[in-house]
Amino acid sequence: MSRWSRRWAEALDLYIHTQSTGWGAYLLEQSLMALLRDLPGLLGIGLRGMVYRLFLPTRGFPYIARGVRLAQPRRITLGRGVYLDEGVYLHACPNGITIGDGTVIMHGSVLHVYNFRGLPHSGITIGRRCFIGEYNVIRGQGGVTIGDFVYTGPLVQILAVNHVFQDPHRPIAEQGITARGIVIEDDVWLGGGAVVLDGVRIGRGAVVGAGAVVTEDLPPYAIAVGVPARVVGSRLDRSRPVDGPVFHGGLPVVQTAVLAQEEFR
């Protein structure tokens, strides 16, 4: 084999192993996804929910809209009643992606473990009944753990990785990365466009304002805004007035109904 041919074969093998767990698995997964990925409507959701379980670990019936892209699907675990909206992209290099019961991932969102360096704590875990808003980006090189009942607005970024740039005489790309991980506890709300940087822990019940950049830990029930985010209050303070009428129902009711139905399957 010539040097050119050997390099081509090595590059092809690398590509296969970034997309799947082996050649046989890749051919099966890609064949089935090519047939069903873009099938519209309820028929498409139904067929994907049945057929994708041949290679996608699930606890119950997965609700997968058209155009969802899955890489390393055997390392993706979906709980009962999980819904992946159109255009979602999940790339589950080791140690994988786990999405809890009743969680919704809205369209255009990217969950990418991107562990090509053998990082020991990589992975993304999302709890029960979360709502990940439109066009969110979650990068899990250092490990991202998200609790239950976490809601994020559109365009939120959760980035468990950082580039080293101390040496101005070397390209940043050659200086390596750090990846300490991110923890977001239960019942957190991240407003639209918020950014959570590596090494941060956001305490239970905290609220992060739209456009805030979280660079340090936030205590439970904190209300934080700004760039960088600073704590301006606490949900544990005296009751705050609510402007306008309050509406209930919607997605939380749907999540409850779907999970109740899944219990009897």
Side-chain angles (χ1 to χ4, degrees):
M1 180 183 293
S2 68
R3 181 165 56 182
W4 182 89
S5 298
R6 184 168 58 254
R7 289 180 177 176
W8 185 88
E10 290 172 351
L12 181 59
D13 190 62
L14 175 63
Y15 172 78
I16 294 299
H17 284 87
T18 62
Q19 301 298 308
S20 187
T21 52
W23 281 84
Y26 175 82
L27 292 173
L28 173 65
E29 294 155 7
Q30 293 299 315
S31 297
L32 294 176
M33 286 191 286
L35 287 172
L36 299 177
R37 180 167 52 203
D38 294 318
L39 195 64
L42 290 175
L43 177 62
I45 290 175
L47 288 176
R48 284 185 290 271
M50 291 186 292
V51 175
Y52 279 19
R53 284 189 285 184
L54 292 173
F55 55 81
L56 182 65
T58 65
R59 299 189 297 268
F61 188 91
Y63 299 85
I64 301 174
R66 68 185 299 183
V68 171
R69 180 181 174 190
L70 304 174
Q72 298 271 357
R74 295 170 195 267
R75 294 188 169 110
I76 299 170
T77 300
L78 304 182
R80 296 180 298 110
V82 168
Y83 176 70
L84 305 180
D85 200 13
E86 290 193 19
V88 166
Y89 174 32
L90 307 184
H91 194 304
C93 287
N95 299 314
I97 296 172
T98 299
I99 301 174
D101 296 347
T103 286
V104 171
I105 312 293
M106 287 299 292
H107 67 265
S109 289
V110 177
L111 281 63
H112 205 317
V113 177
Y114 211 79
N115 182 18
F116 299 119
R117 295 177 172 90
L119 302 171
H121 305 299
S122 65
I124 298 171
T125 299
I126 300 176
R128 298 172 58 253
R129 292 188 58 176
C130 295
F131 179 89
I132 305 301
E134 298 87 342
Y135 298 102
N136 280 208
V137 176
I138 303 176
R139 298 292 293 271
Q141 288 97 318
V144 172
T145 300
I146 297 174
D148 300 335
F149 293 94
V150 172
Y151 269 46
T152 70
L155 301 171
V156 167
Q157 300 180 63
I158 301 169
L159 309 172
V161 63
N162 204 356
H163 284 276
V164 176
F165 55 90
Q166 269 69 6
D167 187 348
H169 305 295
R170 292 177 59 200
I172 293 172
E174 294 180 356
Q175 296 188 50
I177 62 171
T178 58
R180 295 179 293 164
I182 292 171
V183 176
I184 299 174
E185 298 182 3
D186 297 347
D187 190 32
V188 168
W189 174 27
L190 303 179
V195 179
V196 182
L197 298 184
D198 189 35
V200 163
R201 186 182 194 98
I202 298 179
R204 179 185 180 94
V207 174
V208 176
V213 178
V214 184
T215 61
E216 298 180 349
D217 293 355
L218 297 179
Y221 303 102
I223 300 171
V225 299
V227 181
R230 66 190 189 282
V231 176
V232 296
S234 171
R235 291 178 59 202
L236 298 177
D237 293 344
R238 63 184 182 276
S239 298
R240 298 169 178 271
V242 177
D243 295 329
V246 176
F247 301 95
H248 296 280
L251 179 62
V253 173
V254 173
Q255 289 173 314
T256 300
V258 168
L259 290 180
Q261 183 181 21
E262 288 283 332
E263 290 282 0
F264 296 100
R265 285 178 181 264

